[in-house]
Amino acid sequence: MNIDYKKLAQKYQTPYYVYDFDHITNQYNELKEAFKARKSILAYAVKANSNLSVIKHLASLGAGADCVSIGEVKRALKVGITPYKIIFSGVGKTDDEIRQALELGILMINVESAAELNRVDSIAQELDKVARISIRVNPNIDPKTHPYISTGLHENKFGVDIDTAKRMYIQCKNSNHLEPVGIHCHIGSQLTQLEPILEAVEIVATLVKNLQAIKIELSFFDVGGGLGIVYDNETLIDTKEYAQGILKTLFGLDVTIICEPGRFLVGNSGVFVTKVLYEKTNGNKRFIIVDGAMNDLIRPSLYNAYHKIEVLNDETEKSLCHLVGPVCESGDFFGKNIELPLTQHNDLVAIYSAGAYGFTMASNYNTRGKVAEIALEGGEDRLIRRRESFEDIIALEEEFIK
Ligand SMILES: *Cc1c(COP(=O)(O)O)cnc(C)c1O
């Protein structure tokens, strides 16, 4: 990626996110190609980066969408993803969200509890519709990732155990308003080991075979997302081995494979760019204070996540420092005890691998406007979300001042 960060800073000010759409294209094509031996849908996990232009770009490549709120479903539909490639997941869907999902006619609702299945059943009955159902199975597999982003253990809130899932499929079969069409598992995020994924797929495949024996035939096998990316020096899962491992595990099952990558598609397309305001030392601690903060990119504060950071100046001598933002929290940092060169006011700082779970987790904390988002495609830059103004931030409160 060869990006003129200075030029973008002059044109759009700082801080900003920039996303290389050509990188997203390459990532999509690599994974799609890996599954080419079978029918597959890559359903982009919209929560990773839900900018409409990002989703639209993926839609143009043929992607479907994995959504965790009705808002995300509507984003996907808005940019032209066909309802038949949209999945609605999540442990806490409201009645209203279920109703809308049924009315919008999406591919399937991914149900995460027996209680939720009952809600979907009665709402579908009220609307006189048949709800296409997939059930999220929690295979109790340790994905060996950060505990905050592990989702496939019984101690996590996601999905249902195998026995509950089986009972739920039987309930679907016996209901006039539920049609079992798919099965799903997603064991965690930033996965760097293939074995736990294949173990999970194997457990779920066994259930699919047991269901076939009682005449419940599923058409979609959703292996979830979670493929990791390089933030630092991780060894990644090879996409060919990943796809081939899954295809082999599903041998003999006539199912369309769904895969739900989020981070893998967009994570390394994105860079968060901020500029230096001040340097100071407290005692012997050196701080660089920049104009971006935890409200723009919360991953370091939230998960102690590592992002590679570079100061874009010509200084060569480096020393230990903390790179922090202006927000009034000690947890507001991008890097702690990292080696960075001496900086001057207005030097730019690039924080890499920020395309996934960056902007989508941003907030207005400290009445800071959300930053601009920029797309790069074929060497051309364009704005895909304008910087929020003070007026934008107060827009929904102003009329209520007494
Ligand atoms: C978050 C999520 C994904 C995407 O996870 P990544 O690690 O970004 O690939 C896929 N499926 C479900 C159900 C999710 O909740």
Side-chain angles (χ1 to χ4, degrees), residues 45 47-48 66 68 89 110 112 136 158 184 186 188-190 224-227 260-264 357:
K47 72 175 186 287
D66 173 49
V68 291
S89 310
N110 200 0
E112 302 215 20
R136 177 164 180 178
F158 300 98
H184 174 257
H186 170 74
S189 201
Q190 183 56 14
L227 279 175
E260 307 171 335
R263 190 189 312 270
F264 176 83
Y357 308 104

Side-chain angles (χ1 to χ4, degrees), residues 4-127:
D4 190 341
Y5 298 105
K6 270 208 182 85
K7 187 186 101 183
L8 295 178
Q10 278 159 6
K11 194 163 166 187
Y12 302 104
Q13 285 70 58
T14 59
Y16 63 80
Y17 278 96
V18 58
Y19 311 117
D20 180 355
F21 278 20
D22 299 326
H23 174 85
I24 298 176
T25 305
N26 293 340
Q27 294 294 99
Y28 179 89
N29 288 340
E30 178 186 325
L31 194 55
K32 185 70 187 168
E33 175 74 14
F35 278 110
K36 70 167 183 250
R38 281 280 275 272
K39 258 175 83 176
S40 69
I41 299 174
L42 297 192
Y44 169 54
V46 171
K47 72 175 186 287
N49 184 326
S50 35
N51 184 288
L52 291 172
S53 299
V54 170
I55 308 171
K56 180 161 186 190
H57 180 70
L58 281 156
S60 77
L61 301 172
D66 173 49
C67 304
V68 291
S69 70
I70 203 70
E72 288 189 354
V73 171
K74 289 180 184 172
R75 278 182 183 268
L77 287 168
K78 182 157 185 84
V79 297
I81 295 189
T82 149
Y84 279 93
K85 285 187 184 172
I86 297 178
I87 303 154
F88 184 17
S89 310
V91 289
K93 303 178 196 78
T94 65
D95 287 4
D96 191 48
E97 286 183 308
I98 294 167
R99 199 169 294 124
Q100 291 191 54
L102 291 174
E103 276 163 354
L104 292 167
I106 60 170
L107 176 62
M108 53 197 185
I109 298 180
N110 200 0
V111 173
E112 302 215 20
S113 65
E116 188 194 357
L117 190 65
N118 292 334
R119 289 308 307 152
V120 177
D121 197 357
S122 26
I123 293 169
Q125 188 171 356
E126 269 167 40
L127 298 176

Side-chain angles (χ1 to χ4, degrees), residues 121-379:
D121 197 357
S122 26
I123 293 169
Q125 188 171 356
E126 269 167 40
L127 298 176
D128 195 23
K129 299 224 179 237
V130 176
R132 282 181 295 276
I133 298 295
S134 143
I135 292 170
R136 177 164 180 178
V137 177
N138 183 324
N140 200 25
I141 293 285
D142 182 356
K144 305 188 169 69
T145 180
H146 191 292
Y148 279 19
I149 48 180
S150 137
T151 57
L153 281 168
H154 285 168
E155 66 197 60
N156 303 125
K157 67 181 176 182
F158 300 98
V160 296
D161 60 55
I162 295 278
D163 293 336
T164 309
K166 190 168 175 188
R167 280 199 300 277
M168 287 165 69
Y169 280 111
I170 293 169
Q171 181 182 345
C172 288
K173 194 186 174 198
N174 294 332
S175 160
N176 292 328
H177 295 278
L178 300 173
E179 183 190 2
V181 295
I183 196 158
H184 174 257
C185 64
H186 170 74
I187 60 169
S189 201
Q190 183 56 14
L191 306 177
T192 51
Q193 293 188 35
L194 182 53
E195 288 69 29
I197 303 178
L198 294 183
E199 255 180 83
V201 170
E202 176 123 39
I203 290 171
V204 178
T206 305
L207 174 58
V208 173
K209 287 170 195 158
N210 290 339
L211 292 171
Q212 281 179 339
I214 52 170
K215 298 273 177 305
I216 296 173
E217 297 282 346
L218 303 178
S219 317
F220 299 95
F221 195 112
D222 187 336
V223 298
L227 279 175
I229 60 168
V230 172
Y231 285 95
D232 189 4
N233 52 16
E234 298 87 345
T235 314
L236 299 185
I237 297 171
D238 178 81
T239 47
K240 281 204 189 75
E241 285 174 22
Y242 170 74
Q244 275 162 18
I246 289 169
L247 293 174
K248 209 168 128 196
T249 313
L250 297 185
F251 183 78
L253 287 179
D254 183 20
V255 286
T256 298
I257 293 167
I258 300 180
C259 177
E260 307 171 335
R263 190 189 312 270
F264 176 83
L265 294 177
V266 295
N268 267 328
S269 78
V271 183
F272 179 66
V273 179
T274 176
K275 80 178 180 202
V276 174
L277 298 175
Y278 311 105
E279 279 219 21
K280 70 173 184 183
T281 47
N282 282 350
N284 56 6
K285 281 276 181 236
R286 174 183 170 219
F287 290 89
I288 303 176
I289 301 151
V290 291
D291 64 353
M294 65 185 288
N295 73 295
D296 304 311
L297 175 64
I298 203 174
R299 297 188 69 258
S301 309
L302 189 60
Y303 312 119
N304 208 15
Y306 171 85
H307 286 263
K308 187 176 151 214
I309 295 173
E310 263 177 358
V311 176
L312 307 172
N313 69 13
D314 298 327
E315 276 289 331
T316 47
E317 202 184 302
K318 295 185 173 180
S319 69
L320 275 185
C321 66
H322 300 331
L323 186 76
V324 303
V327 161
C328 303
E329 297 284 343
S330 293
D332 178 25
F333 68 92
F334 294 118
K336 278 190 171 167
N337 294 312
I338 54 174
E339 293 270 353
L340 289 178
L342 268 185
T343 64
Q344 303 292 330
H345 189 70
N346 287 345
D347 277 352
L348 293 179
V349 179
I351 303 179
Y352 298 101
S353 311
Y357 308 104
F359 188 91
T360 46
M361 286 191 173
S363 77
N364 290 117
Y365 189 40
N366 282 207
T367 303
R368 293 168 50 86
K370 290 185 190 164
V371 306
E373 291 179 287
I374 302 159
L376 272 185
E377 196 172 3

